[in-house]
Every structure is written in structure tokens, then in C-alpha cells.
């Protein structure tokens, strides 16, 4: 399957090759922009902000797990002895799982769980990101599949076990902020006097 896809990429029109090369890198920037937009959208509500922080947190956790798995499995890149659309990473930058696919899946699932209306856009975007890694020759299909599964499961677990505590902490912080004592303003008597707390007289 890898050979067939790489051959298809090599025979594709130049505009399609350029699109694949651009998307395989720019796709990650698009997810980062969506993180920023979601945080901006939630800035006025501590509870919503807590939820908006979960997608980038899940993505970071998934990436760290992916790097750990790579260092254990140490599968070499398929592009090592082939001509591909992008330069093959150096030796030691292992192939399984695909970091791009892991990050894309974690980001997409996290964004979809944080705001369901994004799901029809971000989930296909993650799949295209994964396919682009095979299209440009950087990964085997099973590298991409492993990354997509790892990222998706990590994001789901983060929301499953951290959403409740995160929103609970945000609610408690909001409640404590609302309970802060305030000094009442003195009530002014129109006849010249005043009621309420007064400063002690100077001596």
C-alpha cells in the first residue's frame, strides 16, 4: 500500500504534490490556530476556559506518549532508500507511530469534544493529515493508523477523567472570587449626617 501511494504521489500533477507537502506541515498550524481561537472564545468564563485547555493538554500528552513508543519500537523510516516528495528525516527519527497523525488525532478529537460543531471539520482534517504523511513518503500506513488511534484514545481519556476535576476547580475558584468581602459604601443623610462605617476622627 505504501509503494502504491508513493507511486501515485510521484505521478500526480505538481499542484497536487505541492498541496500534499503544504498540508502535511500547515495542518498542524491550523490545529494550533483552532486552539487559540477556542481559548479566546472561552476567555470570559473560567469553566469554559478549563474545558478549552483540555485539547492542547491532550495533544501534548499524546505527543509525549508517541515519542516514548517510538524510542522503544525504533522502526526505520520507509523513505530511507526511496525518492519521496519530502526529504527523509535523519536516522534516529523513528517511524512508528506517526507524530503528525498522533497530534492531529488528539487535537481533532479534543476540539470535537470541547465544541461539537467543530467535529465535521476537524475529524476529516485529522484523517487527511494522516494520509498526507504516507502521500509524501514519510510513513507507512500502519504508522499513521497507530498515530490516529493513539491520539484519539488519549484525547478521549483526558476528557473522560480530567474534564470533571478541571471544571470543578474552575467553579470553586469562581465561587471564592464571588464571595470576596467588600466594604459597604456609607449611606449619606440628606440632612447633613451619614450612616454606615466612618473613619475614626484624627487627633
Amino acid at each position: 500500500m505504501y509503494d502504491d501511494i508513493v507511486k501515485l504521489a510521484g505521478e500526480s500533477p505538481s499542484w497536487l504534490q505541492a498541496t500534499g507537502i503544504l498540508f502535511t506541515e500547515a495542518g498542524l498550524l491550523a490545529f494550533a490556530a483552532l486552539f487559540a481561537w477556542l481559548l479566546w472564545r472561552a476567555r470570559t468564563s473560567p469553566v469554559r476556559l478549563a474545558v478549552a485547555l483540555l485539547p492542547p493538554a491532550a495533544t501534548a500528552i499524546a505527543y509525549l506518549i508517541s515519542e516514548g513508543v517510538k524510542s522503544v519500537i525504533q522502526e526505520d523510516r520507509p523513505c530511507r532508500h526511496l525518492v519521496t516528495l519530502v526529504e527523509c528525516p535523519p536516522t534516529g527519527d523513528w517511524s512508528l507511530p506517526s507524530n503528525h497523525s498522533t497530534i492531529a488525532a488528539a487535537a481533532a478529537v479534543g476540539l470535537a469534544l470541547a465544541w461539537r460543531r467543530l467535529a465535521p471539520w476537524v475529524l476529516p482534517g485529522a484523517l487527511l493529515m494522516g494520509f498526507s504523511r504516507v502521500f509524501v513518503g514519510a510513513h507507512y500506513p500502519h504508522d499513521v493508523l497507530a498515530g490516529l488511534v493513539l491520539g484519539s484514545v488519549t484525547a478521549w481519556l483526558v476528557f473522560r477523567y480530567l474534564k470533571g476535576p478541571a471544571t470543578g476547580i474552575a467553579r470553586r475558584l469562581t465561587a471564592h472570587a464571588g464571595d470576596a468581602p467588600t466594604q459597604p459604601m456609607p449611606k449619606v443623610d440628606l440632612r447633613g449626617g451619614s450612616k454606615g462605617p466612618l473613619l475614626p476622627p484624627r487627633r
Side-chain angles (χ1 to χ4, degrees), residues 178-201:
D179 292 340
T182 57
Q183 183 73 13
M185 293 293 291
K187 296 180 180 180
V188 178
D189 190 340
L190 296 178
R191 295 173 295 179
S194 63
K195 299 178 181 179
L198 298 176
L199 295 174

Side-chain angles (χ1 to χ4, degrees), residues 68-123:
V69 173
K70 277 176 178 285
S71 64
V72 172
I73 297 178
Q74 296 188 355
E75 178 190 78
D76 204 8
R77 294 273 182 168
C79 54
R80 192 67 62 211
H81 305 293
L82 295 175
V83 177
T84 55
L85 296 186
V86 296
E87 184 178 351
C88 200
T91 302
D93 188 345
W94 308 112
S95 189
L96 177 66
S98 163
N99 276 345
H100 280 70
S101 301
T102 301
I103 292 171
V109 173
L111 288 166
L113 290 173
W115 196 29
R116 298 294 176 86
R117 292 183 180 180
L118 289 175
W121 304 96
V122 295
L123 297 180

Side-chain angles (χ1 to χ4, degrees), residues 129-154:
M129 170 68 72
F131 176 77
S132 74
R133 299 305 291 161
V134 182
F135 184 80
V136 300
H139 285 285
Y140 290 114
H142 66 265
D143 300 337
V144 168
L145 179 60
L148 292 174
V149 172
L150 173 59
S152 300
V153 171
T154 301

Side-chain angles (χ1 to χ4, degrees), residues 148-172:
L148 292 174
V149 172
L150 173 59
S152 300
V153 171
T154 301
W156 184 85
L157 289 174
V158 165
F159 269 79
R160 174 67 176 82
Y161 292 104
L162 295 183
K163 182 179 179 181
T167 54
I169 292 171
R171 287 192 178 97
R172 285 195 293 272

